[in-house]
Amino acid sequence: MTRSRPLSDPAILRRALRDSFVKLHPAKLIKNPVIFVVEVGAFMTTALLLRDLATGAADTGFNFQISLWLWFTVLFANFAEAMAEARGKAQADSLRKTKTHSVAKRLQPNGKTEEVSASQLRAGDHVICETGDTIPGDGEVVDGIATVDESVITGESAPVIRESGGDRSAVTGGTRVLSDRIQIRITSNPGETFLDRMIALVEGADRKKTPNEIALNILIAGLTLIFLLAVVTLQPISASSGAPPSVAVLVALLVCLIPTTIGGLLSAIGIAGMDRVMQYNVLAMSGKAVEAAGDVNTLLLDKTGTITIGNRQAVEFLPVAGVLETELAEAGQLSSFADETPEGRSVVVLAKEKYGLRGRELSHHEAHFIPFSAYTRMSGVDMNSDHLRKGATESIAQFVREQGGAVPDELHDLAARVSRQGGTPLAVANGRRALGIIHLKDVVKGGMKDRLAELRRMGIQTVMITGDNPLTAAAIAAEAGVDNFLAQASPADKLNYIKKEQAEGRLVAMTGDGTNDAPALAQADVGLAMNTGTMAAKEAGNMVDLDSNPTKLIEVVGIGKQLLITRGALTTFSIANDVAKYFAIIPAMFMTAYPALGALNIMGLHSSQSAVLSAVIFNALIIIVLVPLALRGVKYRPESAGALLRRNLLVYGLGGLVSPFPAIWIIDQFVHALGLA
Amino acid sequence: MTSNGVFQILLYCSLILALTKPAGAFMARLFAGERTFLHPVLRPFERLCYVLIGVREDAEQRWTQYAASLLSFSFWSFLLLFLLQRWQSLLPLNPSGFGPGVTPDLAFNTAVSFVTNTNWQSYSGESTYSYLVQMAGLTVQNFASAAAGLAVAIAVIRGFARQQTNTLGNFWVDITRAAVYILLPLSVLAALFFCSQGVIQNFTPPTVVTTLEGQQQVIAQGPVASQEAIKMLGTNGGGFFNANSAHPFENPTPLTNLLQMVLIFVLPAGLTYTFGRMVGDQRQGWALFSAMSVLFLAGVFVVYAAEQAGNPNLTQLGVASIASEDQPGGNMEGKEVRFGIAATALFATITTAASCGAVIGMHDSFTPLGGLVPLFNMQVGEVIFGGVGAGLYGMLLFAILAVFIAGLMVGRTPEYLGKRIEGKEVKMAMLGLIATAAAILLFSGASTGFTANLNNGGPHGFAEILYAYTSAAANNGSAFAGLNANTPWFNTTLGIAMLIGRFLIIIPMLAAAGNLASKKRLAVTSGTLPTHGLLFVTLLIGTIVIVGALTFFPALSLGPIVEHFLLQQGRLF
């Protein structure tokens, strides 16, 4: 499920508009040095404007417009950030609503329960939850089994089962028990629960700048300083020319040159990136984790559930000599009628599809079904004189021998052949006659092969983790197209594999749910824990998938990359834009002193004032124009780095160099037509 | 442009191309501590050096220790050179009897200038300094500052080449090897060749002769050849005579001229190959070489075209500006007839692309566009081959920036040569950029009032000031001329600009290298930004040009750019 929100939600817009003004406070704005410089510039031009108005100096109209657009520039930048935040806040509000002040039934040492407010619970308390109760805090089921509605967290309305012991014991505060009664040991104090953390994360309240964001901030702050030097020194340099530019024009030049576009959009990009992950129903514990996802070189994917669909399917009937394929198919089908497992059903379906066996009407008095037991490791049906059984090869062989029959070597050969191909052999016998083998196969998820190929193009290698033996694992790995596999993998093997990859300079991502996955999840650069998993796993990972769908790891990698690309693209665009602004402003600035510089006015802008004004207007408007791009992210295509760079350099580098020329020209036409300058 | 001119330029480029690999491979072996063909002869001498300075050859230094060693080396060098100048009248080898007239500010300026490999000269060599100061002071610093630059470049390369270590090598070992195996042998050979061509080498006092017109002329003498070789090889550029390489005793023949130009580029070009070898991927080195070559060729041809086109106002007066059998055409003002327009354009571009600063013509007399290129070459930080060592680490600064800005666009944390480019590296790169930009712009801005020191007014006068501070901050040392810089204000501020341009690049780059060396090298996959292809070369060039242009375009537009347009309108300065 994705929780996408339209960009133009009126409630969010209203909130963002209000916040853009709140953010004008210099104490808040100083955290964004680029935009802060714009604000200082706006203050300066406004102050000069007021002085000019008081003294009745000329050109107040022009100075007024410059001041106005400088303020707009600040507001637009604030709006971009506020917009991104407002989207998170709206979601946090809806989460907060579910955080009811529920009453908890705390278990006292004497075995009785007392009613206390959920906020009074501390880690280690035991509470009882019954049908209809809201679980008061994060915890672990220590007794009982219940169905729980976790839609608050996951958005998924189908209830899930939570029971004591095993990997499904974790419950989350705010979710609701739908049936039965469980005893829960509370594991987190109020304010530190998963829901609290989730609210804080989507709200971006304690958002820390990621390492890459910090580095980028240094870059743009440094560029701002350089341009400050370039513009400030223009004053004395041009003094000798006889007609130095006015302060308003110098400020306008400065604001146009400093990277306001990326400066205004940078934090919005980061917040929106987190938000996009959230829309995939993945909760990233930090922006750093999302960035790391973009850097991943190796993906550890669990075979079952990620690469293959969870169940095996019958794909082939392999009779021993002297048995017809149809006879084997019919025996297999009959023995599977009562077998409700997906494997059993797939045998029935295969027999029907391949041999048109409709399956006879079987009534209970003529057929006696033998259910599968862990002891016999087979199931089947007794019907008239037939004793049909299917099961593990060894079990069937033993059954045949017990019935007085002989087991042909061929049966073992066939079984071995199936194993080699990555399948699971299922032997079938009728009394003392061994009939053959049914080939059960892991089925690779549709489209998985293409996605893995896509990952390879992106330079990401995939490793399949499976408990299967190496033979089986190799066959499935080849079929799915993974680059490598780890067979008969224990949690320790996983951990070692991750360490080995990291030692070779690769970043590793994995998914996991069990407590024994926790060390590997913690070691991995990106650890995506399943929400159905244990608390230990969720704590160890740096992301939680609320839908518990391990395939999502691939999407998360894409989002991480998209986040970084968006940053790079807008930075490049922002810097490349400056070239055109120079061509607009420099000739305009010195038109009086050096009319010869008019040769640089290649856009043919109408007057020096309209040129400066047009550049400033372009500089402000481009922020607003790019807000949707910053929030949605640059379109990401799974390609090699070289191809991506070529494309993005062309679009954002060359595009950034060229596009402002016509844009400023058009604005100049408007400014001129409207008589603004 | 004449075909002969184009041929000269291409011949020069092919020579550099041919020398890059042997020079680079030799340096890579040398600094890796491997034996070279010179070891049988020079190894004992190298050992002796370590014994004398008390250094253990295998003692590694962290970046802070490396930087501290460099700073203390530079400081003592400065002090020695300062005192030598101040006391030259008390010391031997002073046949002209130059007195104690070297003012403290000039001594400061000159000492800083030679220690920082700038070789800005506020003085005229033949009329200021004794042979002892020229040889034991200036020439020694020519070796020392070049060797130090080379050492820093190698340390910075090690930052990329090594992983998970906190050391960058040993400054004393690197500087010794640079001097003993590279600079000394090559200088000896070159000096001998120069002597064979007529460059003088003597301690004779100036000769006074009577000219054909019956006038008295003083012909300066001195140990020129020994200084000339390292002046070019070490990209120092401080001439023995005020006329620098335009003087027939420094640069008498086309052959010496060619060799001088080759000497400027041979080590900086070779270092790109050394870089590739040391980081284990030769293509990385050639990528840097290509980016430098493209920028260089563009510059050469702009200058050549501008100079060959000449001054349109003269053409209107009927002066032939087209090259013919009888005359070179174009703008010959301030150029040696021995060398002509193409060679002068080539030399001017080389000397400002590398931080050499030697000249065979007066850049002040170039056309505005012809003068713009040398100015721009220096303003982008002397990274087009650049100074010995300085060019490479300057280029790596830009590579870090280019990778950081554009590298994000492949959807990964930017990395260069397997090393992640993060906050620390970006901070250091920006610090270097800001420091030089500040030194150039603030001092130029502050000096615009000193119009009395200028030969020219208007934009050309401003260009003279801008050029001076650019040359100082870029550690180039060439002068646009036209500015009388031997005053306390200019001597002091230019000296400060040189110190900033040298050490506020070196220290951040060493810090970045130290940080990079401690990082793990990441595996290269198809998701890694390729930094060896055409795409990266384009990107690197774009970053250099755009960052350089954005920083200095306003200033340049009030200097050579407006002067160019005014020239077209017939207004001269």
Side-chain angles (χ1 to χ4, degrees):
Chain A
M1 193 210 77
T2 60
R3 315 174 185 207
S4 69
R5 283 177 301 281
L7 281 172
S8 55
D9 184 324
I12 291 177
L13 272 176
R14 265 198 304 280
R15 184 176 204 151
L17 276 175
R18 197 194 62 213
D19 286 353
S20 340
F21 284 92
V22 175
K23 283 170 185 285
L24 282 177
H25 196 296
K28 283 192 203 287
L29 210 55
I30 197 151
K31 285 181 197 144
N32 187 341
V34 183
I35 302 303
F36 182 73
V37 168
V38 182
E39 190 174 39
V40 171
F43 266 119
M44 276 172 67
T45 54
T46 311
L48 288 172
L49 174 69
L50 293 176
R51 188 201 63 186
D52 288 353
L53 285 173
T55 58
D59 267 353
T60 45
F62 173 71
N63 289 353
F64 169 74
Q65 291 183 68
I66 293 284
S67 306
L68 190 69
W69 281 102
L70 293 185
W71 284 115
F72 276 144
T73 310
V74 181
L75 282 175
F76 289 167
N78 285 351
F79 177 75
E81 189 181 73
M83 187 74 185
E85 283 172 357
R87 284 150 65 83
K89 278 181 188 152
Q91 190 167 3
D93 285 349
S94 70
L95 279 172
R96 206 173 273 127
K97 275 186 205 130
T98 65
K99 215 180 128 191
T100 48
H101 297 283
S102 53
V103 174
K105 295 174 204 159
R106 183 159 67 186
L107 204 59
Q108 290 177 298
N110 60 15
K112 286 190 182 154
T113 59
E114 56 168 347
E115 300 219 329
V116 296
S117 157
S119 59
Q120 283 173 278
L121 289 175
R122 292 290 175 273
D125 285 351
H126 283 241
V127 296
I128 298 293
C129 284
E130 288 166 306
T131 308
D133 287 350
T134 298
I135 295 176
D138 293 355
E140 207 175 333
V141 181
V142 289
D143 189 35
I145 177 168
T147 52
V148 177
D149 172 12
E150 293 196 339
S151 58
V152 176
I153 305 287
T154 62
E156 181 64 55
S157 55
V160 292
I161 294 193
R162 295 287 173 227
E163 59 186 330
S164 60
D167 286 346
R168 290 194 298 177
S169 60
V171 287
T172 312
T175 57
R176 209 159 50 88
V177 175
L178 289 178
S179 71
D180 303 295
R181 178 181 194 273
I182 44 177
Q183 183 183 331
I184 298 164
R185 185 170 57 80
I186 298 294
T187 51
S188 62
N189 291 321
E192 298 163 12
T193 64
F194 191 65
L195 194 62
D196 289 320
R197 261 176 30 212
M198 196 163 153
I199 290 170
L201 280 170
V202 295
E203 202 172 33
D206 55 349
R207 204 178 83 84
K208 287 196 185 67
K209 283 193 176 132
T210 62
N212 177 258
E213 224 176 329
I214 292 170
L216 199 50
N217 257 313
I218 294 170
L219 178 86
I220 60 179
L223 286 175
T224 304
L225 199 55
I226 288 179
F227 289 127
L228 197 61
L229 286 169
V231 173
V232 166
T233 51
L234 258 190
Q235 177 74 21
I237 290 172
S238 58
S240 62
S241 69
S246 71
V247 173
V249 171
L250 283 173
V251 170
L253 175 65
L254 175 64
V255 169
C256 284
L257 293 183
I258 61 177
T260 46
T261 312
I262 183 66
L265 296 173
L266 185 56
S267 59
I269 295 169
I271 299 168
M274 291 280 280
D275 195 51
R276 270 199 302 284
V277 176
M278 192 66 209
Q279 284 172 25
Y280 271 94
N281 243 4
V282 172
L283 198 59
M285 296 304 167
S286 66
K288 198 177 165 184
V290 181
E291 261 175 28
D295 290 345
V296 158
N297 307 95
T298 303
L299 281 187
L300 260 49
L301 300 171
D302 280 326
K303 183 196 81 174
T304 311
T306 310
I307 293 171
T308 63
I309 57 173
N311 314 303
R312 291 152 194 242
Q313 286 188 344
V315 289
E316 200 179 5
F317 294 106
L318 301 165
V320 295
V323 178
L324 287 174
E325 216 172 309
T326 42
E327 186 184 357
L328 173 63
E330 193 175 14
Q333 190 184 39
L334 286 170
S335 65
S336 303
F337 263 129
D339 185 351
E340 283 301 315
T341 62
E343 285 86 355
R345 265 181 306 207
S346 78
V347 174
V348 177
V349 170
L350 181 71
K352 192 160 76 185
E353 280 175 357
K354 215 163 173 185
Y355 305 103
L357 297 175
R358 275 272 146 223
R360 282 170 278 168
E361 280 299 315
L362 294 173
S363 56
H364 281 281
H365 34 92
E366 53 178 326
H368 172 61
F369 292 106
I370 317 285
F372 177 84
S373 83
Y375 177 66
T376 60
R377 294 171 68 205
M378 53 187 185
S379 61
V381 59
D382 285 342
M383 195 171 59
N384 306 328
S385 58
D386 292 333
H387 301 283
L388 302 174
R389 294 289 184 277
K390 73 174 201 309
T393 315
E394 278 319 306
S395 314
I396 294 294
Q398 198 189 343
F399 171 76
V400 168
R401 276 193 291 271
E402 278 168 11
Q403 300 287 317
V407 181
D409 288 342
E410 202 190 346
L411 189 74
H412 291 288
D413 293 345
L414 288 172
R417 206 177 86 198
V418 168
S419 291
R420 262 201 309 281
Q421 292 168 4
T424 307
L426 200 59
V428 181
N430 186 353
R432 46 201 281 186
R433 278 179 68 218
L435 299 177
I437 297 285
I438 301 174
H439 182 170
L440 290 181
K441 198 176 153 192
D442 264 314
V443 180
V444 174
K445 277 188 176 174
M448 187 47 70
K449 202 169 175 151
D450 294 338
R451 308 214 45 190
L452 294 175
E454 215 170 69
L455 286 171
R456 195 168 307 114
R457 278 204 300 279
M458 289 153 61
I460 296 172
Q461 63 158 335
T462 47
V463 180
M464 182 180 83
I465 308 288
T466 171
D468 292 338
N469 63 56
L471 225 55
T472 313
I476 299 169
E479 191 185 335
V482 293
D483 299 301
N484 204 350
F485 63 86
L486 197 58
Q488 288 168 339
S490 66
D493 291 340
K494 266 199 217 183
L495 184 62
N496 290 333
Y497 192 87
I498 293 174
K499 283 183 177 164
K500 193 191 90 197
E501 286 286 303
Q502 288 174 335
E504 287 166 13
R506 279 186 273 272
L507 278 83
V508 186
M510 69 168 287
T511 61
D513 51 8
T515 300
N516 54 17
D517 283 333
L521 277 172
Q523 177 72 34
D525 300 282
V526 175
L528 179 62
M530 299 294 107
N531 191 42
T532 51
T534 60
M535 254 320 161
K538 284 202 254 182
E539 296 280 339
N542 46 16
M543 291 190 198
V544 176
D545 179 14
L546 302 173
D547 297 340
S548 304
N549 169 10
T551 321
K552 259 199 224 156
L553 195 51
I554 300 175
E555 264 96 25
V556 171
V557 169
I559 295 173
K561 287 195 176 293
Q562 194 187 25
L563 171 69
L564 294 170
I565 292 175
T566 308
R567 260 189 217 144
L570 291 181
T571 308
T572 310
F573 187 82
S574 192
I575 296 173
N577 269 198
D578 281 4
V579 175
K581 294 178 198 160
Y582 265 136
F583 278 99
I585 298 183
I586 292 287
M589 268 180 130
F590 303 112
M591 205 69 105
T592 334
Y594 297 122
L597 274 179
L600 290 178
N601 182 7
I602 53 176
M603 285 174 271
L605 305 179
H606 280 98
S607 68
S608 53
Q609 290 198 341
S610 89
V612 174
L613 196 57
S614 303
V616 173
I617 294 175
F618 169 80
N619 191 55
L621 288 182
I622 194 73
I623 297 178
I624 283 295
V625 170
L626 292 175
V627 165
L629 186 71
L631 295 186
R632 280 203 210 99
V634 168
K635 191 167 159 50
Y636 170 67
R637 285 165 233 254
E639 288 174 310
S640 73
L644 270 175
L645 182 65
R646 198 169 315 124
R647 178 195 308 282
N648 289 330
L649 260 186
L650 211 62
V651 176
Y652 298 98
L654 196 62
L657 207 60
V658 175
S659 62
F661 284 98
I664 292 176
W665 182 82
I666 291 170
I667 295 172
D668 177 67
Q669 299 299 314
F670 274 104
V671 168
H672 182 71
L674 297 173
L676 298 175
Chain B
M1 287 190 270
T2 63
S3 52
N4 177 291
V6 175
F7 170 76
Q8 288 183 47
I9 293 168
L10 295 183
L11 170 72
Y12 173 75
C13 293
S14 352
L15 281 174
I16 292 301
L17 185 62
L19 287 171
T20 297
K21 184 176 170 179
F26 177 81
M27 287 189 278
R29 286 185 66 85
L30 177 69
F31 289 107
E34 293 168 31
R35 275 185 79 80
T36 66
F37 69 96
L38 289 177
H39 270 67
V41 188
L42 295 173
R43 177 70 179 156
F45 185 58
E46 183 198 352
R47 281 233 183 89
L48 181 68
C49 290
Y50 298 144
V51 173
L52 288 178
I53 56 179
V55 165
R56 270 196 29 232
E57 210 177 333
D58 56 351
E60 288 271 323
Q61 293 178 314
R62 292 159 182 268
W63 84 262
T64 42
Q65 295 166 318
Y66 203 98
S69 303
L70 169 83
L71 287 178
S72 92
F73 178 73
S74 301
F75 175 74
W76 291 111
S77 300
F78 162 80
L79 200 64
L80 184 72
L81 186 49
F82 181 82
L83 295 177
L84 259 179
Q85 294 174 68
R86 296 283 290 156
W87 295 339
Q88 68 166 338
S89 57
L90 312 173
L91 296 166
L93 284 180
N94 188 3
S96 303
F98 291 128
V102 181
T103 58
D105 56 274
L106 177 60
F108 165 78
N109 182 284
T110 304
V112 167
S113 175
F114 278 75
V115 166
T116 56
N117 198 260
T118 311
N119 303 31
W120 168 268
Q121 294 166 297
S122 285
Y123 60 89
S124 296
E126 61 268 44
S127 60
T128 313
Y129 291 125
S130 69
Y131 296 156
L132 183 80
V133 173
Q134 292 257 31
M135 278 190 101
L138 306 183
T139 306
V140 165
Q141 279 314 310
N142 278 355
F143 279 97
S145 64
L150 209 48
V152 171
I154 296 297
V156 170
I157 298 175
R158 287 194 188 113
F160 286 98
R162 295 180 172 184
Q163 56 171 336
Q164 290 173 299
T165 170
N166 50 22
T167 61
L168 293 176
N170 185 312
F171 173 74
W172 306 107
V173 173
D174 289 339
I175 195 176
T176 307
R177 286 187 180 151
V180 171
Y181 291 93
I182 301 170
L183 300 178
L184 281 168
L186 275 175
S187 296
V188 169
L189 288 180
L192 289 174
F193 179 78
F194 285 146
C195 287
S196 80
Q197 294 293 304
V199 177
I200 57 168
Q201 177 79 6
N202 58 44
F203 289 128
T204 325
T207 318
V208 181
V209 293
T210 308
T211 62
L212 291 177
E213 297 128 22
Q215 303 283 323
Q216 294 270 304
Q217 188 186 348
V218 179
I219 297 176
Q221 302 284 347
V224 179
S226 58
Q227 184 170 339
E228 200 61 21
I230 188 63
K231 170 187 129 191
M232 313 315 284
L233 184 66
T235 62
N236 296 284
F240 193 94
F241 303 113
N242 193 32
N244 210 306
S245 285
H247 195 294
F249 282 174
E250 284 202 26
N251 189 9
T253 66
L255 264 184
T256 57
N257 193 49
L258 179 65
L259 179 65
Q260 295 206 348
M261 293 192 291
V262 169
L263 285 177
I264 298 178
F265 266 4
V266 65
L267 295 181
L271 271 176
T272 60
Y273 191 88
T274 310
F275 171 73
R277 178 69 66 88
M278 285 175 73
V279 300
D281 183 358
Q282 217 59 73
R283 297 172 307 174
Q284 305 288 352
W286 287 118
L288 297 188
F289 181 90
S290 312
M292 291 171 170
S293 302
V294 171
L295 286 165
F296 172 67
L297 282 171
V300 172
F301 282 103
V302 169
V303 179
Y304 185 28
E307 293 308 302
Q308 190 66 63
N311 184 337
N313 299 296
L314 288 175
T315 317
Q316 278 168 17
L317 294 173
V319 178
S321 64
I322 310 289
S324 68
E325 297 268 312
D326 311 319
Q327 53 95 24
N331 174 28
M332 272 303 284
E333 184 193 318
K335 292 187 181 63
E336 266 290 311
V337 280
R338 270 177 300 150
F339 304 124
I341 293 176
T344 308
L346 180 61
F347 201 109
T349 314
I350 295 167
T351 197
T352 51
S355 75
C356 183
V359 289
I360 61 169
M362 292 301 116
H363 296 179
D364 192 31
S365 300
F366 281 18
T367 58
L369 287 186
L372 173 69
V373 171
L375 200 48
F376 189 74
N377 276 347
M378 295 187 284
Q379 285 173 340
V380 296
E382 303 284 26
V383 295
I384 307 167
F385 296 102
V388 173
L392 189 81
Y393 59 69
M395 193 54 150
L396 289 174
L397 184 153
F398 276 108
I400 287 176
L401 283 184
V403 162
F404 182 75
I405 297 171
L408 280 172
M409 287 195 290
V410 308
R412 288 174 63 87
T413 301
E415 56 196 75
Y416 184 48
L417 306 168
K419 296 300 182 87
R420 283 179 161 219
I421 304 302
E422 291 166 304
K424 178 88 180 265
E425 289 78 21
V426 175
K427 192 188 289 176
M428 292 303 148
M430 287 313 288
L431 192 61
L433 273 189
I434 294 169
T436 40
I440 295 173
L441 292 171
L442 290 179
F443 284 130
S444 298
S447 303
T448 47
F450 292 85
T451 40
N453 295 46
L454 298 171
N455 285 355
N456 309 74
H460 196 79
F462 171 64
E464 288 166 353
I465 292 176
L466 183 65
Y467 194 103
Y469 286 104
T470 301
S471 174
N475 291 163
N476 182 280
S478 69
F480 208 44
L483 167 72
N484 170 25
N486 193 5
T487 67
W489 164 261
F490 281 109
N491 275 336
T492 315
T493 52
L494 285 168
I496 294 170
M498 290 183 238
L499 289 172
I500 292 174
R502 174 80 162 181
F503 296 107
L504 283 186
I505 299 275
I506 285 184
I507 294 171
M509 281 312 283
L510 281 176
N515 202 43
L516 287 166
S518 66
K519 292 184 187 185
K520 196 155 62 181
R521 188 174 308 114
L522 300 174
V524 174
T525 68
S526 63
T528 311
L529 170 77
T531 53
H532 49 72
L534 182 65
L535 193 61
F536 180 72
V537 172
T538 316
L539 177 65
L540 188 55
I541 293 172
T543 308
I544 293 167
V545 171
I546 290 187
V547 170
L550 291 180
T551 311
F552 296 104
F553 188 76
L556 287 174
S557 67
L558 290 179
I561 295 178
V562 71
E563 194 189 345
H564 170 75
F565 290 121
L566 290 171
L567 174 74
Q568 305 300 318
Q569 295 179 357
R571 230 180 117 192
L572 301 170
F573 294 91

